[in-house]
Amino acid sequence: MKLLASHASPYTRKVRVVLAEKKIECELELVDVAPTENPVNPHNPLGKIPTLVLDDGAALYDSRVIVEFLDHASPLNRLIPAEIRERVQVRRWEALADGVLDAGILVRNGFQLEKQIARMRRGMARLAAELEGRPWCQGERYSLADIALGCCVGWLGFRKPGDIDWPAEHPVLARHYHKLLERPSFADTAPK
Ligand SMILES: N[C@@H](CCC(=O)N[C@@H](CS)C(=O)NCC(=O)O)C(=O)O
């Protein structure tokens, strides 16, 4: 297991603290994510750290997914409560703290338009490749994965950031979005 990391990244630090608390050994590979083309991209189309590369080569991101995985990887020092109310409160703290960081990092970096568009392209290409030939994003049933994908594709089609014609570039995503729109939950919430 290898963590793609930097010493400055606060999200990486969260994962490193969790690794230490859980006493899980993990190799650290320091990477520079500043360039648009960076060594994280082959593992994570978003090109961001932290990214955890598992022994079988599968990669986990982002930090919230990684810490959930690590908390379950060892019973030692549970950091995310099992009880649902406690659990969502802890995760809300995390969402709030991470959200403050997201804003701070956007301010610090400016918006880096070219880099964001390259990230969107890689991300959409990966979503399309992973959805190809499947009825649903994950497993045999509709899940939060489909909801997240649908909200992403729907918003991109609505706002068209970067003037990119996503349905033409990735018809599989457009087809899936149309299938999701057959559900009242999606049809009633289409962006306007
Ligand atoms: N939501 C992500 C945020 C990760 C993130 O933004 N990491 C920064 C480093 S602190 C990064 O990789 N930035 C590179 C970039 O935005 O190009 C997480 O929780 O892992």
Side-chain angles (χ1 to χ4, degrees):
M1 199 159 78
K2 181 172 74 176
L3 184 67
L4 307 182
S6 87
H7 287 308
S9 162
Y11 313 96
T12 302
R13 184 180 186 188
K14 180 173 31 145
V15 171
R16 292 181 67 197
V17 170
V18 169
L19 282 165
E21 299 287 355
K22 306 283 296 180
K23 303 200 187 316
I24 298 173
E25 291 289 326
C26 182
E27 182 191 340
L28 207 64
E29 183 176 319
L30 297 178
V31 289
D32 179 9
V33 286
T36 301
E37 293 308 320
N38 69 55
V40 181
N41 294 346
H43 303 285
N44 170 357
L46 304 177
K48 291 190 179 194
I49 49 171
T51 293
L52 184 68
V53 183
L54 303 179
D55 292 340
D56 65 0
L60 295 183
Y61 42 87
D62 60 6
S63 63
R64 295 184 210 182
V65 172
I66 298 172
V67 297
E68 172 125 20
F69 171 76
L70 293 175
D71 202 32
H72 281 86
S74 149
L76 196 72
N77 296 334
R78 289 310 291 259
L79 298 167
I80 304 173
E83 199 274 318
I84 186 63
R85 276 171 188 261
E86 284 261 305
R87 181 186 185 82
V88 295
Q89 286 304 325
V90 165
R91 302 243 75 161
R92 191 217 53 152
W93 279 99
E94 183 185 28
L96 181 54
D98 283 5
V100 171
L101 285 172
D102 292 343
I105 286 173
L106 278 179
V107 170
R108 183 173 183 276
N109 293 352
F111 293 103
Q112 301 181 303
L113 196 56
E114 212 178 292
K115 192 173 182 186
Q116 306 307 336
I117 289 177
R119 169 174 293 153
M120 285 164 61
R121 285 195 181 283
R122 285 193 308 269
M124 293 297 273
R126 178 73 66 88
L127 289 169
E130 295 202 2
L131 184 62
E132 192 68 60
R134 295 184 176 191
W136 302 107
C137 290
Q138 186 63 42
E140 295 306 310
R141 56 185 283 267
Y142 173 73
S143 75
L144 180 62
D146 300 281
I147 296 173
L149 175 80
C151 294
C152 170
V153 172
W155 185 83
L156 290 177
F158 176 58
R159 290 293 189 207
K160 299 187 178 50
D163 276 334
I164 298 164
D165 185 356
W166 297 107
E169 290 203 5
H170 299 296
V172 65
L173 295 181
R175 280 197 301 277
H176 200 63
Y177 186 57
H178 280 107
K179 181 163 118 180
L180 293 172
L181 279 175
E182 289 166 12
R183 306 177 82 89
S185 58
F186 264 91
D188 293 349
T189 56
K192 56 187 174 198

